[in-house]
Each structure stands twice: as structure tokens, then as C-alpha cells.
Amino acid sequence: VGLGVGPGSPVSWQLPTRIDTVVGCAALCRIGAVQNPIIHLYREREVGFALAQTGATHFFVPGVWRGTDYAALAERAGAERGVSPQLVVLDDGLPDADPAALAAVPVPRADEDAVRWIYYTSGTTSDPKGVCHTDRSLMAGGWGLVAALGLTAADVGTVAFPIAHIGGADMLAAVLMTGMASVMVEAFNPAESLALFRAHDVTMFGGGPAFYLACLNEQRKDPGNPVLPRLRLMSGGGAPKPPELHYEVMREIGGRGVVHGYGMTEVPMITSGSPDDTDDQLANTEGHPVEGAEIRVVRTDGGDAAPGEEGEVRVRGPMVFRRYTDPELTAAAFDEHGFFRTGDLGRLHADGHLTLTGRLKDVIIRKGENISAREIEDLLYEHPKVLDVAVIGLPDAERGERVCAVVQPDPQAPPLEFAEMVAFLKEAGLMIQKIPEQLVIRDEMPRNSTGKIVKNALREEYASAGSDRGPGAGR
């Protein structure tokens, strides 16, 4: 209130996973502001786009954190887009104000279906997509997690990922609904973070396959000393998991193994495993639709798929976002029955569990973050040494998928070097998370009859190379 933030004020924040961030987030909720959480990996291009599209009046940043000056980044991002929200640097705690100045909260809130959250996600478009949520939709996603995992006040969870991610809202809702505790870390360091989690008797550890693998690697350093002795289960989503991972976790760490789920920025929780599932269900599916979620799988001809038949996964329910910030994207996102088109391919089994099999959209999921291939292609195409380019996702045990740039060089120029590519994309303001880990140079691209690059052929060729990751493997 003292800063001029009031009901409906659009406020962006790009803050670390800290107690102050949670308190500040709760304060903005109490005021009735419209929050735009921005993950710390976003750089000038994405930050500027979000500030401009939301019309943010205020932008909360941490100052210098982990080697990045976020205040300077914010100034550059605003200047590029011609916007100048009030910058609030939270280096020394949260600003103070008198809570007596706040108006009483109506019970029940008459505006519970109003948009209060805007998250940005990269997808098949070059610009990020603004995803509009209500308090109700985020709480419905959180309740889906609570009910599926059987969380209670006796549980102790973790937030080892950016709290500005949609998963942060899931965990915050779970904590508020159950009274459970949660241990947060600003940055996940396997040895240090697991020691902290162990000291606080964590029962639920999660985030996604990269976190499961990191925990396994630490356990294997000292097999006789449990890294998480009170672990009940591992849970997360954001990327496909190898089926064997469930058995490895259960065998080497303990508990119920990996109780994986499936969600996205538009729908925080779609399906989740349950501790009561069989090992086969936990290993080979993404679980059962969470409470309130209705799923249909649709064949390419528009008909409903039979049990076990592949099709596009669509979902309807209270946890589905209200709309995109771009009305044209919203119109294309829902079918005639009000189901959200996820763009993911899957099979819904007779027992109600879902197995994902692929994606309709050309998007790469790296450590749970959606990366638009087209955005990277558009930038690399501008490099003078590049004649043509295709960006693809390749299987990666740690990341889920790694980003690979396949470049056809200009025959009049020397081949593009990996370091050149990285420097070029950094200079263009692309966030580090999106910069390809691998660069492949080839004289010709596989193309169809219309001249379009056949990306499936590239994926098959380079995925079969296994651990041969080519130039840039060490980034």
C-alpha cells in the first residue's frame, strides 16, 4: 500500500526462492494485486515482453544475486520495450507498511474468479505466452496434489526449484491447505541441499527427473548412509521420466519411489501418481487425473480415442487457466466442449491412468521449462554463417531433453563454431536456459516434398548417437 500498490495493480517480480518472497507474494494476494512471477532465468527479451504486456506498475527484483545484477537487467529490459515500472530492489528485506490501512477482505470473496496471476511460458511461438490464472485455479491445482499424494500436516516438503515457476504455487497451496512444512533453497546444490533436507526430516522431495537423478547420485556416493532417511516419496513433473527411475529410487533411497505427475503452466496439475498405485503404474504412467480434472484423448480425426489408443490429451476442470493474454491464442486453445488442448500425445488406459507418448507442438522441455525451437531458430538464422537451421530436443538423462542446433552453413563462410553460437545468442539477449548444449554442422538437411526440414529424421539420427553429443557437450 505504501508503494502505491492496490487492488488490481499489475505487479511483476523476479525473486529467488526465499521466505521473503513467499511473504511478499502473500502480501500482494492480501492487497488484491495481479501478480506476474518471472523465473530468474529469464533475460531482457522475456522480461521486457512480460513487463510491457502486463502493464506492470511495479517490478520487484533482488539486486545482485548469483552474479546477475537484476536491477540493471530490469532497466535494460524496460528501456528496450519503452516501459518503466517502479523498480523495487529487495536487498534488505521487504518494505514496511501499516496493515491497518488495508480494507477488510470480503468473505467469501466476490472476485474469486478474477485473474490474479499471469505466468509466462515459452511454447511454439517466438514470444512467451501469458497464462492467466485465478486464485481458484491455482488452489484447485494445489488441492489435486494434496489429495493425490495424501499430504498431511505431518509431511515436510521441499521447494528446490524457482518459486516463480507454476510448481511454486502448487507447493504454496499445499502448505496452506495442510499445515505441512516445506524447506526452501535458493539454488539446489545436491550435497548441501540434501544435508539441509535431511536435517529437517523431509518426507516429500520433488521437482522432476533432474532432481531425482541428483538425489540418486548423492546416495550412490555412500550407499549405506540414507540421504533422506524419512523420505515417503519423490514427486514432481515438468519432464518425462524413464520408467526405471522409479525402481532405482525405491530400491536405493527408499519410500514409495517416484510418484510422478503431469502438469503445465496452463494447468498446474492434470494427473498424478498416488502412493497406492502399483509399481507398474508409477513406473509407466503419469498417474490418474487429479480430483476435479476431466481428461479426454482425441484422435487426429477428432474422435475420442479408445482406451490405450494414442491421441491428443485434452483437459477440463477448475485448475485450468482462464485465458491467455493474447485472445487469438485463447480461441485456438480450447475445443468445442471447453477442453484445453495440451498439445501432448498420450494414451488413457482402462484403469484411468495416463501415459504420455510425445507432443504435437514443436517445443523442447528442458528441466521442466518449455523452450520454443522457433525462437532460437529465428535468432540463429540471422547469423551470417548460417544458411539454414533446425533446433530440436534430444533425450537427456539429466535434463529430460537437451537443446541441439542443427546448422547448414553458408558455403561462402567458415563453419559456425560452438563458442560463436553461444556468444551470438547471449548478445541477442536469449536466456542461458535456452542456448543449445549441442551444435551439429551438416551440408544438407532432410526435407520433404515442399522443402520443409523433416525434424523427426534429425531427432532419430542424433538421438541414436547416444552419448556422442558433439560440439559443446561440456556446456
Side-chain angles (χ1 to χ4, degrees):
V1 175
L3 292 173
V5 177
S9 296
V11 177
S12 296
W13 52 265
Q14 189 176 28
L15 298 169
T17 303
R18 294 174 176 167
I19 296 294
D20 275 356
T21 302
V22 175
V23 174
C25 175
L28 291 170
C29 287
R30 174 63 178 84
I31 293 170
V34 178
Q35 298 188 56
N36 165 221
I38 301 175
I39 63 171
H40 70 280
L41 297 168
Y42 277 13
R43 291 297 180 258
E44 287 83 351
R45 288 168 59 85
E46 299 90 355
V47 170
F49 184 86
L51 295 177
Q53 194 176 69
T54 62
T57 58
H58 297 73
F59 187 24
F60 292 77
V61 297
V64 178
W65 181 65
R66 301 195 73 202
T68 296
D69 186 338
Y70 283 89
L73 188 159
E75 295 284 2
R76 292 192 300 270
E80 288 180 9
R81 291 283 179 171
V83 295
S84 54
Q86 182 178 341
L87 192 62
V88 182
V89 181
L90 302 181
D91 268 340
D92 300 313
L94 295 167
D96 293 323
D98 184 1
L102 292 172
V105 177
V107 181
R109 286 181 63 142
D111 61 349
E112 62 184 4
D113 284 323
V115 169
R116 293 294 180 202
W117 305 82
I118 303 175
Y119 287 86
Y120 278 86
T121 178
S122 299
T124 53
T125 56
S126 291
D127 289 325
K129 294 184 292 185
V131 179
C132 299
H133 273 286
T134 67
D135 288 340
R136 180 196 291 265
S137 61
L138 293 186
M139 294 296 278
W143 175 250
L145 182 70
V146 168
L149 301 184
L151 299 175
T152 72
D155 279 302
V156 180
T158 65
V159 181
F161 50 86
I163 199 164
H165 190 279
I166 195 72
D170 268 352
M171 277 305 300
L172 180 57
V175 167
L176 293 173
M177 290 171 169
T178 63
M180 67 181 285
S182 185
V183 185
M184 299 190 300
V185 292
E186 290 189 9
F188 181 67
N189 174 287
E192 295 176 5
S193 299
L194 286 168
L196 181 66
F197 297 159
R198 185 165 56 250
H200 288 278
D201 293 327
V202 159
T203 63
M204 187 192 84
F205 169 81
F211 292 92
Y212 311 154
L213 285 167
C215 193
L216 269 174
N217 289 337
E218 285 301 309
Q219 182 64 76
R220 287 166 179 167
K221 294 176 182 177
D222 188 1
N225 186 21
V227 290
L228 294 173
R230 290 202 59 212
L231 184 72
R232 188 164 70 85
L233 53 86
M234 288 191 179
S235 176
K241 72 175 191 314
E244 181 59 25
L245 194 54
H246 162 68
Y247 295 105
E248 290 176 331
V249 168
M250 189 168 57
R251 182 171 58 246
E252 300 180 45
I253 298 177
R256 194 63 192 92
V258 175
V259 186
H260 203 59
Y262 164 47
M264 55 183 58
T265 305
E266 290 87 344
V267 194
M269 290 301 301
I270 300 174
T271 65
S272 175
S274 162
D276 298 326
D277 283 347
T278 66
D279 287 327
D280 180 68
Q281 289 169 334
L282 291 175
N284 295 294
T285 79
E286 278 65 50
H288 190 278
V290 298
E291 187 173 323
E294 184 182 356
I295 287 179
R296 66 188 294 239
V297 176
V298 181
R299 300 191 306 263
T300 54
D301 64 5
D304 286 332
E309 185 179 10
E310 186 180 72
E312 183 191 18
V313 179
R314 301 183 185 180
V315 60
R316 182 169 67 182
M319 66 289 298
V320 177
F321 75 121
R322 288 289 299 273
R323 63 178 181 270
Y324 289 114
T325 49
D326 184 338
E328 291 185 8
L329 293 176
T330 304
F334 293 88
D335 68 17
E336 66 277 16
H337 302 293
F339 283 79
F340 171 62
R341 307 172 190 266
T342 67
D344 291 315
L345 296 171
R347 295 185 175 91
L348 193 61
H349 304 287
D351 63 7
H353 285 65
L354 178 72
T355 297
L356 295 180
T357 56
R359 291 190 299 280
L360 289 174
K361 302 174 183 178
D362 188 13
V363 62
I364 300 162
I365 302 180
R366 183 189 185 277
K367 288 190 175 180
E369 292 298 328
N370 289 351
I371 295 174
S372 167
R374 178 181 169 186
E375 179 183 17
I376 306 170
E377 288 166 352
D378 287 349
L379 290 173
L380 281 178
Y381 192 81
E382 297 175 8
H383 196 287
K385 290 186 177 182
V386 174
L387 181 65
D388 209 347
V389 58
V391 173
I392 58 176
L394 297 177
D396 189 284
E398 178 187 354
R399 301 168 179 83
E401 287 185 310
R402 66 180 182 274
V403 184
C404 175
V406 184
V407 168
Q408 183 177 354
D410 184 331
Q412 305 305 316
L416 179 68
E417 298 290 339
F418 181 82
E420 284 183 283
M421 176 189 70
V422 172
F424 180 80
L425 293 175
K426 283 184 177 179
E427 180 65 23
L430 192 70
M431 74 176 187
I432 292 175
Q433 189 84 349
K434 296 180 180 179
I435 294 176
E437 288 98 341
Q438 183 173 355
L439 171 64
V440 174
I441 304 294
R442 56 184 296 150
D443 293 333
E444 293 183 355
M445 296 284 197
R447 300 178 186 274
N448 64 15
S449 58
T450 63
K452 183 178 180 180
I453 297 173
V454 182
K455 286 191 172 183
N456 284 343
L458 293 175
R459 291 189 189 97
E460 290 174 7
E461 179 178 349
Y462 296 115
S464 65
S467 60
D468 180 13
R469 293 169 54 187
R475 189 182 72 77

